[in-house]
Amino acid sequence: MKNAPNPELVNMTNIPNVHTKRSKGGSGLRNKYLPYLLLVPVFTMIIVVVFIPLLTTIIYSFQSYRLTNREEQATFIGLKNYFTLFQDDRFISSLVTSLIYIAGSVVGMLILALITAQIANQAFKGRSVFRSTILLPWAVAPVVAAQAWKFMFETDYGIINHILTSLGVIERNIPWLVSSETTMGSVILTNIWKTTPLLTLIIVSGLQTISKDLYESADMDGASPFKKYFYITLPLIKPFILMGLIFTTLQTINVIDIIYVMTGGGPGEATEIFTLYNYKVFFQYLDFGLGGAMAVIGVTVIGILIFIYGRNMNKQINH
């Protein structure tokens, strides 16, 4: 006949299990809330840096708020600032100038990025050096890049006029940054040189996702290099192109360093883009009400562009 188990021993053996369950339950609660606690600093920074300034700007846009006039500080005027802007010829001109600047920059960046990305994706000796070289403009600060190109575009002693004159392309020096006919092209060229590496890097990452089997199958069918590029490569990298265009377009719209350093918006208002005019209204004219309304319009336009890009990118991914 077997001996019955000692109840005290049974209780003693069960005690550690109880503590283990309790400790597991406590650690489970800690693990449950730990991710949210870690996200608190991030959300706090987003609220302080993004949402509070945005909300303040929206409030300013409905007020007459000029620091130079104490009687017109924090006075509610409704939509008057918005009506004033759309009746302002300078504001309309800045919008048109921005569209020209963005369109010229995006088209130039896209063509150059597709060419350089295709070269960088090929296997050849010194490819790593080539990839590092094409990324150098992106690493240069916008102010430094703008100042360097300003010297090169200088009318009397700039290297661009010197080279063109030596080659016999032009007979006399061209005032690149002084003439309204050439100044926009000059700042667009500078922005293309500065921003294209970012788009190139994104397109190269897209090219590396394409399977070589597709090209081998096309070779067996006798497809030419152009057909392979337009029927295989381009359709497969379209999502990457659209993603890159989102970043480059935002950088082109928001970064005013190049135009501010090279032309200051001149000659006249030939290169005064929307964001540069908004900067002047805020920090030179000290009109926070009108500047706030301009900022709200700018955020709305940028949101629409991102929506269009994102929608097209989703269509390409779903296909």
Side-chain angles (χ1 to χ4, degrees):
M1 183 175 178
K2 296 182 179 180
N3 294 326
N6 192 343
E8 295 181 357
L9 293 176
V10 172
N11 293 334
M12 291 178 64
T13 56
N14 288 336
I15 290 174
N17 292 333
V18 173
H19 287 293
T20 304
K21 289 180 181 179
R22 288 180 180 176
S23 61
K24 286 183 179 179
S27 62
L29 290 175
R30 287 196 298 268
N31 293 334
K32 181 179 179 181
Y33 294 106
L34 181 60
Y36 300 99
L37 293 175
L38 294 176
L39 289 174
V40 168
V42 178
F43 283 115
T44 303
M45 184 180 66
I46 292 174
I47 292 172
V48 172
V49 176
V50 178
F51 287 104
I52 292 179
L54 180 60
L55 181 61
T56 305
T57 303
I58 294 173
I59 294 173
Y60 283 158
S61 69
F62 297 106
Q63 297 177 347
S64 177
Y65 202 116
R66 296 182 184 179
L67 295 184
T68 56
N69 189 348
R70 292 185 178 181
E71 295 179 356
E72 295 188 15
Q73 290 186 7
T75 304
F76 180 79
I77 57 173
L79 298 174
K80 186 176 179 180
N81 285 324
Y82 294 93
F83 292 133
T84 302
L85 284 175
F86 286 104
Q87 294 174 357
D88 183 10
D89 294 335
R90 187 175 177 182
F91 173 73
I92 302 299
S93 175
S94 68
L95 289 177
V96 175
T97 303
S98 298
L99 291 176
I100 297 172
Y101 179 60
I102 294 169
S105 298
V106 168
V107 171
M109 284 187 290
L110 182 59
I111 294 173
L112 185 59
L114 288 173
I115 295 172
T116 53
Q118 193 65 28
I119 297 173
N121 194 51
Q122 303 299 318
F124 60 91
K125 201 170 183 179
R127 182 176 68 173
S128 58
V129 176
F130 177 77
R131 288 182 174 181
S132 302
T133 303
I134 62 177
L135 290 176
L136 286 178
W138 188 34
V140 178
V143 174
V144 176
Q147 193 64 56
W149 279 89
K150 184 178 181 180
F151 284 138
M152 290 191 290
F153 278 121
E154 212 284 329
T155 304
D156 296 325
Y157 54 85
I159 190 174
I160 294 178
N161 277 333
H162 176 72
I163 293 174
L164 294 177
T165 304
S166 302
L167 295 176
V169 178
I170 58 175
E171 296 181 357
R172 58 181 182 178
N173 293 337
I174 299 176
W176 296 102
L177 300 178
V178 179
S179 174
S180 59
E181 297 178 356
T182 56
T183 184
M184 178 57 75
S186 303
V187 295
I188 287 176
L189 180 61
T190 305
N191 187 55
I192 290 172
W193 178 85
K194 176 70 181 70
T195 315
T196 298
L198 174 61
L199 183 57
T200 302
L201 185 65
I202 296 174
I203 294 176
V204 169
S205 64
L207 290 172
Q208 292 179 347
T209 62
I210 301 176
S211 175
K212 294 182 179 179
D213 296 338
L214 297 174
Y215 295 109
E216 293 175 358
S217 301
D219 290 332
M220 294 176 62
D221 294 335
S224 64
F226 289 100
K227 286 186 176 180
K228 288 190 292 185
Y229 187 77
F230 285 103
Y231 290 102
I232 297 177
T233 305
L234 273 182
L236 292 177
I237 64 173
K238 273 186 179 180
F240 294 89
I241 293 175
L242 292 172
M243 184 188 304
L245 289 178
I246 290 175
F247 292 113
T248 52
T249 302
L250 290 177
Q251 186 168 356
T252 300
I253 294 174
N254 294 322
V255 177
I256 64 172
D257 307 44
I258 292 175
I259 292 181
Y260 186 82
V261 172
M262 294 183 69
T263 65
E269 300 168 5
T271 57
E272 188 178 64
I273 60 175
F274 170 81
T275 47
L276 180 58
Y277 183 35
N278 194 8
Y279 167 81
K280 291 179 179 179
V281 171
F282 259 121
F283 300 106
Q284 290 185 7
Y285 310 147
L286 300 177
D287 192 339
F288 285 14
L290 205 61
M294 291 181 65
V296 171
I297 294 173
V299 170
T300 304
V301 172
I302 291 173
I304 293 172
L305 289 176
I306 293 175
F307 174 77
I308 294 172
Y309 278 137
R311 187 175 181 181
N312 290 330
M313 186 169 62
N314 289 332
K315 286 182 180 180
Q316 296 297 328
I317 293 174
N318 293 332
H319 286 314

